[in-house]
Amino acid sequence: MLELNVVKNDPEVEAIMAMSERSIEALGFTEHSRRHSAIVSKWSGEILRALGKSPERVRLTEIAGYLHDIGNCVNRKDHAQSGAILAYKILTRLGLACEDAAEVMAAIGNHDEQYGLPVSDVSAALIIADKADVHKSRVKKNITNVSHANIHDRVNLAAERSFLTVDDKQKRITLNIEIDPAICSVMDYFEIYFGRMQLCRRAGEFLGCRFALDINGTSLL
């Protein structure tokens, strides 16, 4: 089985991810760097591990999580689909079985809320982990007046902490977010993330769980 570290250290992967980061920064989007990739990889693997999935499924999910945004190297538009094809070619070159590479390809191709839907446990875990990474460090613009920032940046700037908890007994996956209400209201969060939370709910259902959202200690979903 292909190890995650082999994928991370592959020169082709490093070059594509570096270009992806530069492209996203040039476009002014929130951070989609190797920091984000590493967090999504870690969290998606932890979801399946907590639900008792096999080490092989966990490893595939960690690989999918790390590579999920490489399509930004091509273009932000349809990055899930272009990234999925890139990932398949890279992973088969690195020796991953075609069947497993296809699992990763399907997960990456379905992680974005515009077109994506959970089609496997790997894709469901990836969806939830990706949407859970909300944090002020993801805003790379030099914003001196928060009130003038767009709503996407305000939501991330307000987020002091976000993390996932998985309760296998209760079959519940909870996204916990701590936000500064002086920067962003809960309604602002829902305005931006409603579609993403719907997709997370579907992903939770695919995993046989209820997806819950907790903001500042208040259960909202």
Side-chain angles (χ1 to χ4, degrees):
M1 181 68 181
L2 181 64
E3 296 291 337
L4 176 61
N5 279 340
V6 174
V7 177
K8 285 184 175 181
N9 295 319
D10 179 69
E12 184 181 5
V13 171
E14 290 184 338
I16 290 174
M17 293 191 76
M19 187 66 241
S20 298
E21 290 178 31
R22 291 199 298 272
S23 296
I24 285 295
E25 185 175 353
L27 292 170
F29 285 99
T30 51
E31 171 261 336
H32 286 73
S33 70
R34 277 161 279 198
R35 182 213 67 87
H36 173 65
S37 298
I39 286 177
V40 174
S41 174
K42 179 176 181 287
W43 286 357
S44 58
E46 287 176 350
I47 290 170
L48 291 196
R49 190 177 294 110
L51 294 176
K53 300 295 183 176
S54 70
E56 290 76 17
R57 301 302 288 177
V58 171
R59 197 169 301 149
L60 284 179
T61 305
E62 290 174 339
I63 291 172
Y66 191 74
L67 297 177
H68 77 284
D69 271 338
I70 61 172
N72 286 317
C73 181
V74 180
N75 197 294
R76 179 61 183 168
K77 183 177 180 181
D78 297 333
H79 74 284
Q81 289 69 45
S82 56
I85 296 168
L86 280 170
Y88 181 85
K89 299 299 290 183
I90 291 168
L91 295 174
T92 52
R93 175 180 59 78
L94 291 173
L96 188 63
C98 293
E99 295 83 357
D100 290 337
E103 287 267 15
V104 173
M105 178 170 63
I108 293 174
N110 279 280
H111 85 270
D112 190 65
E113 64 270 16
Q114 186 173 5
Y115 303 115
L117 286 171
V119 295
S120 67
D121 54 353
V122 173
S123 69
L126 170 57
I127 285 168
I128 294 171
D130 180 39
K131 309 315 174 197
D133 186 22
V134 186
H135 192 262
K136 59 185 178 182
S137 66
R138 297 195 68 189
V139 180
K140 295 304 181 183
K141 300 174 186 175
N142 184 20
I143 297 174
T144 56
N145 190 332
V146 175
S147 64
H148 294 163
N150 67 50
I151 192 168
H152 288 86
D153 288 337
R154 286 206 313 276
V155 166
N156 278 281
L157 284 169
E160 299 289 340
R161 186 185 181 210
S162 65
F163 61 97
L164 289 166
T165 54
V166 183
D167 188 332
D168 187 32
K169 291 184 179 180
Q170 296 294 324
K171 297 299 178 185
R172 183 172 62 242
I173 301 170
T174 305
L175 169 55
N176 304 273
I177 306 177
E178 297 172 8
I179 67 171
D180 181 350
I183 298 175
C184 163
S185 71
V186 173
M187 287 305 297
D188 284 340
Y189 179 88
F190 270 105
E191 181 179 340
I192 293 301
Y193 283 93
F194 181 70
R196 300 179 191 186
M197 294 301 97
Q198 282 187 311
L199 184 56
C200 286
R201 179 176 56 80
R202 291 178 177 175
E205 290 171 352
F206 194 99
L207 293 169
C209 297
R210 172 177 169 255
F211 175 77
L213 174 65
D214 186 296
I215 298 181
N216 290 354
T218 301
S219 180
L220 299 171
L221 284 177

